[in-house]
Amino acid sequence: MRALGRPSTTVPLILSLILVPLTVVLAFVWTGEDVDQGFSQKIFYLHVPVALTSYAAFGYGAFCAAMYLWRRDPEWDLRSYVGVHSGTIFGTLVLLTGPIWAKASWGVWWNWGDRQINVFLILFLYYCAYFMLRFSLDEGERRRSASAVYALLGVGLIPLSFLAVRIAETLIHPTVFTSSGAAMPSSFFLTFLVGLAGMLSLMALLMAVELRGKRTAMRVLELQRAARGEDA
Amino acid sequence: MTLEECSKRFGERLALRKATLAVEPGETVVLLGPNGAGKSTLLRLAAGLLRPTAGHARIDGIDAVDAPRALRAGMAYAGHRSQLYRGLTARENLALHARLHGRALDLDGSRAAVGLADRADERIDGFSRGMLQRLALARATAHEPVLLLLDEPASGLDADGRTLLDHVLLEGRGRRTQLVASHDQDLPARLGARAVRLDTGRIA
Amino acid sequence: MTLEECSKRFGERLALRKATLAVEPGETVVLLGPNGAGKSTLLRLAAGLLRPTAGHARIDGIDAVDAPRALRAGMAYAGHRSQLYRGLTARENLALHARLHGRALDLDGSRAAVGLADRADERIDGFSRGMLQRLALARATAHEPVLLLLDEPASGLDADGRTLLDHVLLEGRGRRTQLVASHDQDLPARLGARAVRLDTGRIA
Amino acid sequence: MIGAALAIARVKLVLELRRREVVFAMLLFVAATIVIVHFALRADDGAGPRAAAGMLWAAVVFTAVLGLLRAFAAEAEEGALDALLLAPVDRAAIWLGSALAQFGFLVVVEVVAVPLWWLLFFQEEGPAPLPVIAALLLANVGIALVGTLAAGLALGARTRDVLLPVLVLPLAIPLVLAGVTATYGAFGEEGGGFGPLGPLGFLALYDLIFLALAWGTSEHLLGD
Amino acid sequence: MIGAALAIARVKLVLELRRREVVFAMLLFVAATIVIVHFALRADDGAGPRAAAGMLWAAVVFTAVLGLLRAFAAEAEEGALDALLLAPVDRAAIWLGSALAQFGFLVVVEVVAVPLWWLLFFQEEGPAPLPVIAALLLANVGIALVGTLAAGLALGARTRDVLLPVLVLPLAIPLVLAGVTATYGAFGEEGGGFGPLGPLGFLALYDLIFLALAWGTSEHLLGD
Ligand code: HEM
Ligand SMILES: Nc1ncnc2c1ncn2[C@@H]1O[C@H](COP(=O)(O)OP(=O)(O)OP(=O)(O)O)[C@@H](O)[C@H]1O
Ligand SMILES: Nc1ncnc2c1ncn2[C@@H]1O[C@H](COP(=O)(O)OP(=O)(O)OP(=O)(O)O)[C@@H](O)[C@H]1O
Ligand SMILES: [Mg+2]
Ligand SMILES: [Mg+2]
């Protein structure tokens, strides 16, 4: 179980300390105002990186779930859990920044007509349900494999939902990353990339910290049991 | 069938503590012990229905939980619950079992054995407690297992049924591995079997 | 408690055929008989849980099915199933029972009596078979009934539990009316009770 | 009688709601339901109060059915109904307790769902809250009464009265009709009648009638 | 493997259909849902194909969820799942058998519900029947696959009944989207694409992907 290495916290910590403030500086100082949207477009540098980061985290969670089902090492289960968990944390940020932008740009907090944001909501709910499933099962093998199977199913759900929506109709919610490249000025794009890197390091930091906490808690439990003279 | 330092934890309760037990092929072992000692837990671990928290439960050297189909084909477990479908008739229940084991339904053999000759086409939710238990035993033995795990098989049976059960167990002695949990202190002597005592999860 | 030419039919099956039985106040009667004889059916008729197809089941001269609340307050029935809520703890189960009987919960009395001292606050779906049976008996006797109907109360109990049960029944002798179905042929002698034999629905 | 009913109701609610995540699950459930109905109806083009009212009531009915399917599930598991029937309480108390639990369950769900619904559909101007809440409460009473009666009938039925419980379910339709009308009214829209009673009066009348009917028959409800 | 799955599916269907009241209740539920959503949305003023399609699909999804709640009920009663797990068949066969039963159950309900829906909404001119039926069948497959998987996951959970809908509904969203689009298409209305695949192709893709996922994980599904 200790076969997997300890994830570093220092590297992501340093990276996020540099990149996140840098994004803010770039966004407000370097890039110009958007012609259509004006100042409110600045939230782009938060909103989109956060959204992509949440996908990355869910993806990581699903990957670890698959590894768990293959290897049956509880460590992979913990990692999968931590991945899904930070995915929902970043997902919550998306659901905060999106509506703020929407209020500024569309005049409403939420547009029920837009499939894309609704689908994101559903995906978010899907992964919320992961926690319900996990915590209504007793700790042990069964909980681990059920959580893993569920996290893995998301791998099918995410692309299918987006496929369904993307090819179904025109959207209000913008799509800038098309097959012909990013439709925006290069300064915007660069800032966005820095923001994305910042968010990804923040995610790595979050996951490393939580993983450590979880491991310590497990260790404490083991020691408590050992102190009671129980071996398992 | 062997258990090696096998422990099972339910939440904070340790139901089985480092139980080590080896049952030789053809041997019959009777599990004794007070209520809550962990007899049922031990049997379910041996059957591979539970995964041990620590240690190993093995059948023919293979982990019981991952027992391949060939191994499971020679195994039978009857627990506190009948494992039958309440909405089906006795015949349908046995037929499903036979089907899953890739066998033809030998209804005459089974039903005669348990004395339910004329009730085969009744839905079992009208069966009495003892009739259910008989049917559960018929199901467990229908596919002639070489490893038989029984959890208090005599419960609910009348004198007749208990004789029948003793007969089945005696007949199986030497021919298959049998592990039987019971509250009947005389059973080991009656079967000429080894008695293993459990108490609060520990093998005494 | 009296049964007068009481019959019970389930579909086409006659489970009880004109059974006539009178149990005097304070008397203890043990019902014996093979599986499917109709013991459980008779007890459920006596409790008023089933309505006889023909004949009458009476308690103190009143039809059991329509027994008024006062009569039911002094009655207890424990059947093959535990009659407990699986999702509740032992304490909550007993508390509900006490509440419905308009009594205060006497947990110490009950749990000591059945030897579940330290498990009162656990959900009973983690209980072992014998622990459940003990709790079911504790529930049935908690409100000090004057008519006690028990259906194979010893099933699943260990030696200790059976001694405890005998003790309860012996203590109740003369103090309350007791009707107990059992497969234990020695029970009548042990309790000094009258034995009534049932076979295929007929009282022998 | 009332005491016993309350004790039974409490137990049944505890069984359902003991775990905090149940409330959370209901929140997710309601949100998912609303979104699904949204997608199904393609309500993208500013569906307005009609769709909003419809979704609320469809979700309520569905949740109620879900709850009713479990009305006597806990009692069936280990024969706990026997114990209830033999306890020195009226059968009406058992039925009433179950109905109360059902009502409580619906209220708990709605306490979560209705604010959510409000948030989702009315960012600016919503309906008047009082009539909507009143309609919901009255409808809950009706559904709980009728539904528990049906569930009780279904309990012992193996062959004879299979159709009986099924016949009772459509009884919920008038409740929905009146509920939707009341919700419309709360928007200031033309609610579409129900005569002098108004939809709320109709709901109250419905509840009273079925309370009387259910009470009168509840002795025959459970057991053999 | 297939043989064992079929045997299990047969038993489960027999069990459900023998208890006639379950099927009746389902039918009634579907009818009530359609009628209620109809009333709830006040679709009286010629709501048209949109509302009709939406109602059909909402009813299908919720019926499926209700059915799934019973997916392993018969096995839970007397511990029959233990016997299945110990039988010399793969766990995938148990899951597949249950999924087949679920599929059969949905088909049985729809055989009655869809004509009813047709009757209620299209007195003159309805949609082309073939695409609707194809969409329903493909969606049934998807829901049965995914839903049985979820039911298996929720099996040991303490709050199974609230949990399951929450697990299943998000997975059903793409199915509803595609199903509604296909139904639109059957009216000759602009279905809104799904690109070269078309909604039916998309449904088939969904089924395939989840069949693969479910198959791959089904060994980890049931039991401890
Ligand atoms: C109201 C809630 C909103 C939610 C839940 C939301 C959610 C998301 C999500 C999940 C993504 C990730 C990638 C994708 O799906 O394309 C995203 C990307 C993006 N969002 Fe939003 N969003 C919201 C509102 C807005 C608004 C109001 C705008 C601007 C008018 C906006 C602009 C963008 C842009 C430009 C992208 C990158 C597009 C791309 O990936 O091609 N979002 N959003
Ligand atoms: N699913 C479970 N959850 C929690 N605790 C459990 C569970 N199963 C068993 N236990 C606990 O494990 C211990 C052993 O239980 P087990 O059923 O093995 O006893 P047993 O020896 O079979 O008793 P009996 O003779 O009463 O059948 C008991 O304390 C019981 O409460
Ligand atoms: N609900 C029912 N539906 C149909 N038949 C039933 C029902 N209950 C009991 N019977 C039948 O009535 C007969 C008597 O059953 P009963 O349960 O009373 O037997 P019993 O003496 O208690 O047997 P056991 O010792 O096995 O508990 C049996 O043949 C049984 O199949
Ligand atoms: Mg046991
Ligand atoms: Mg009996």
Side-chain angles (χ1 to χ4, degrees), chain A residues 1-127:
Chain A
M1 154 155 186
R2 300 267 173 267
L4 294 161
R6 318 190 75 200
S8 157
T9 48
T10 31
V11 177
L13 178 64
I14 293 168
L15 279 179
S16 11
L17 280 179
I18 297 171
L19 291 173
V20 175
L22 182 64
T23 318
V24 177
V25 173
L26 287 180
F28 287 99
V29 179
W30 186 47
T31 58
E33 292 239 321
D34 186 75
V35 263
D36 295 335
Q37 302 218 4
F39 184 71
S40 72
Q41 183 265 349
K42 300 287 182 208
I43 202 171
F44 169 83
Y45 307 111
L46 179 60
H47 173 73
V48 184
V50 162
L52 297 180
T53 303
S54 75
Y55 287 148
F58 286 138
Y60 176 74
F63 167 74
C64 296
M67 287 306 287
Y68 174 75
L69 290 179
W70 184 28
R71 289 287 170 77
R72 298 224 162 259
D73 182 345
E75 177 68 17
W76 283 118
D77 169 67
L78 271 191
R79 292 187 167 204
S80 169
Y81 166 78
V82 165
V84 174
H85 192 202
S86 51
T88 40
I89 292 172
F90 281 95
T92 311
L93 285 180
V94 177
L95 291 176
L96 288 174
T97 54
I100 291 172
W101 197 355
K103 186 69 184 170
S105 171
W106 305 334
V108 286
W109 293 106
W110 192 268
N111 184 323
W112 283 100
D114 190 88
R115 301 299 188 69
Q116 186 171 2
I117 65 174
N118 282 337
V119 160
F120 185 78
L121 179 66
I122 292 288
L123 290 175
F124 180 76
L125 295 180
Y126 178 83
Y127 280 108

Side-chain angles (χ1 to χ4, degrees), chain B residues 10 13 15 33-42 80 151-152 183, chain C residues 119 122 125-131 156:
Chain B
F10 296 105
R13 181 159 305 275
N35 292 140
K39 302 181 294 300
S40 302
T41 306
L42 192 151
H80 289 307
D151 200 353
E152 298 188 35
H183 289 301
Chain C
R119 309 289 295 258
E122 261 176 64
D125 47 9
F127 276 21
S128 81
R129 173 81 189 77
M131 288 160 65

Side-chain angles (χ1 to χ4, degrees), chain A residues 72 138-139 141 221 225 228-232, chain B residues 5 7 9 11-12 14 17-18 51 53-54:
Chain A
R72 298 224 162 259
D138 284 325
E139 185 206 322
E141 167 62 23
L221 200 64
R225 286 171 180 170
R228 264 185 277 145
E230 300 172 358
D231 61 307
Chain B
E5 301 246 309
S7 298
R9 172 186 291 288
E12 278 309 293
L14 210 53
R17 299 162 197 245
K18 294 201 184 179
R51 197 180 282 272
T53 314

